Amino acid sequence: MTDTPNAAAAGLGTFERWLSVWVALAIGAGLLLGNIFPSLFTALASMEVASVNLPVAVLIWAMVYPMMVGVDFGALRQVGDKPKGLVVTLVVNWLIKPFTMAALGVLFFEYVFADLIAPEDAQAYLAGVILLGAAPCTAMVFVWSNLTRGDPTYTLVQVSVNDVVMVFAFAPIVAFLLGVTDIVVPWDTLLLSVGLYVMLPLLAGYVTRQRLVAKGGEAAVDAFKARVQPFSIVGLLVTVVLLFGFQGEVILDRPLVIALIAVPLLIQTYGIFFVAYGAARIWGIPFNVAAPCALIATSNFFELAVAVAISLFGLGSGAALATVVGVLVEVPVMLSLVALANRTQHWFPTEKEAS
């Protein structure tokens, strides 16, 4: 599994490298427009079908669909080649990460920050961080892996397996954790969101990929992804503008809330990375697998978390706001972890030494 397939990301382009800056500008634009044109955002917020906001649904699809085209289910046949990295990722993603995120949310929102946050707001923020913790990344994973010179085929295997597991595990885990924290879960809306934002894009991506491969092989897939990738970034930025437009008054009234939500998210992100990275080191996993498996376990599928938060609790909810803060935290933190991994690669054996 040392060959470099075309499906791997080529790395961060100029625009993606400064994504945190563009997200910050999108936040500012959302706050400004939301306060200048409140009636417009009210009208957009009312465009719902079955608790799903249509403008945001279109934008989420724009973000999710390109990454789903990159999922190669044929790579699942290679799972058994290097099982250790996959085991670490799956255990951390599904048996540790959702529960530590919920625990940190309860600790900070209901105890540490109890005097700073109203109880109903604490519950909403808690729901948002739970959604983030239960949604493992499928998009920027290829970029993080490439920046550490990770094994790209193995990364494809992990993404493919995670997507399959997410289809079946995301809704039950979220429902369980939200239920434990005494939040009412509308199962129909939750399952509808998983279908809309995971299963259907996954199916559409699979069909598209099969047709592209039949016409021009992996080169055709890469060319198609390059053409549609800008729509994914634009979808993300416009979604941020909308979300912060809907939340504009709340944020301006309580600017401290962003910092408070970011605290458990930062602790969770760095903590989960060191758990996965440490496990990979103890197990003697080679660096080109260890770094991607730790980064995959750490990163979040924030597009899905945002979409489900909007569907479950509404566009102007604290849960939606918490997932948007996850977008703010994601890019700069992950870039710092990529740099850390590259500086510590001497801790790990090479692929030849590990075999």
Side-chain angles (χ1 to χ4, degrees):
M1 296 176 64
T2 58
D3 296 336
T4 302
N6 293 330
L12 284 170
T14 301
F15 191 84
E16 289 83 358
R17 189 175 293 113
W18 294 95
L19 184 57
S20 56
V21 175
W22 312 135
V23 169
L25 292 175
I27 290 172
L31 293 174
L32 180 64
L33 294 173
N35 283 274
I36 295 176
F37 306 107
S39 59
L40 172 62
F41 283 86
T42 300
L44 291 172
S46 66
M47 298 172 63
E48 290 188 352
V49 174
S51 299
V52 174
N53 182 266
L54 297 181
V56 174
V58 171
L59 294 169
I60 295 296
W61 260 76
M63 286 187 275
V64 173
Y65 174 66
M67 72 183 75
M68 293 304 187
V69 175
V71 174
D72 181 9
F73 284 90
L76 288 172
R77 293 191 296 269
Q78 303 181 48
V79 168
D81 291 357
K82 298 176 183 176
K84 291 182 179 180
L86 185 59
V87 168
V88 170
T89 300
L90 291 177
V91 168
V92 173
N93 269 339
W94 299 107
L95 299 181
I96 298 176
K97 184 178 178 181
F99 305 98
T100 56
M101 187 72 266
L104 285 170
V106 170
L107 173 63
F108 281 95
F109 298 141
E110 297 189 359
Y111 294 96
V112 178
F113 298 150
D115 295 335
L116 301 173
I117 300 176
E120 59 274 16
D121 291 335
Q123 287 290 291
Y125 303 149
L126 177 58
V129 299
I130 284 174
L131 289 171
L132 282 169
C137 187
T138 65
M140 295 291 282
V141 161
F142 296 108
V143 175
W144 310 140
S145 176
N146 186 69
L147 291 175
T148 59
R149 293 183 176 83
D151 184 326
T153 300
Y154 197 83
T155 302
L156 283 175
V157 170
Q158 291 179 296
V159 170
S160 300
V161 172
N162 261 322
D163 280 333
V164 172
V165 173
M166 182 161 48
V167 169
F168 299 100
F170 177 77
I173 287 177
V174 167
F176 170 74
L177 290 174
L178 293 182
V180 166
T181 55
D182 298 323
I183 299 171
V184 177
V185 182
W187 267 94
D188 54 346
T189 303
L190 181 58
L191 294 175
L192 176 62
S193 297
V194 173
L196 282 175
Y197 302 122
V198 179
M199 297 183 70
L200 289 181
L202 196 61
L203 177 61
Y206 173 78
V207 172
T208 302
R209 183 183 182 87
Q210 292 299 106
R211 291 180 177 178
L212 290 169
V213 169
K215 291 180 179 179
E218 290 296 326
V221 175
D222 288 345
F224 178 82
K225 287 167 59 181
R227 290 196 301 270
V228 300
Q229 184 61 31
F231 294 99
S232 180
I233 300 298
V234 171
L236 169 62
L237 296 178
V238 176
T239 300
V240 172
V241 171
L242 285 180
L243 292 175
F244 276 84
F246 298 134
Q247 296 280 354
E249 293 183 4
V250 174
I251 295 172
L252 292 179
D253 288 342
R254 292 179 292 169
L256 183 62
V257 71
I258 301 297
L260 295 180
I261 295 172
V263 170
L265 291 177
L266 288 169
I267 294 173
Q268 164 82 354
T269 304
Y270 283 109
I272 286 297
F273 174 81
F274 286 114
V275 167
Y277 204 53
R281 185 186 183 191
I282 292 171
W283 212 352
I285 299 174
F287 179 76
N288 69 337
V289 172
C293 89
L295 293 167
I296 291 170
T298 305
S299 189
N300 295 316
F301 190 178
F302 52 77
E303 297 94 334
L304 175 64
V306 169
V308 176
I310 292 169
S311 298
L312 287 175
F313 304 104
L315 286 160
S317 66
L321 177 61
T323 58
V324 173
V325 176
V327 180
L328 298 177
V329 171
E330 176 89 0
V331 175
V333 169
M334 292 305 298
L335 288 174
S336 73
L337 292 174
V338 164
L340 175 64
N342 284 331
R343 286 197 298 269
T344 58
Q345 59 182 290
H346 60 279
W347 291 355
F348 297 84
T350 64
E351 190 167 12
K352 289 182 179 180
E353 293 170 342
S355 61

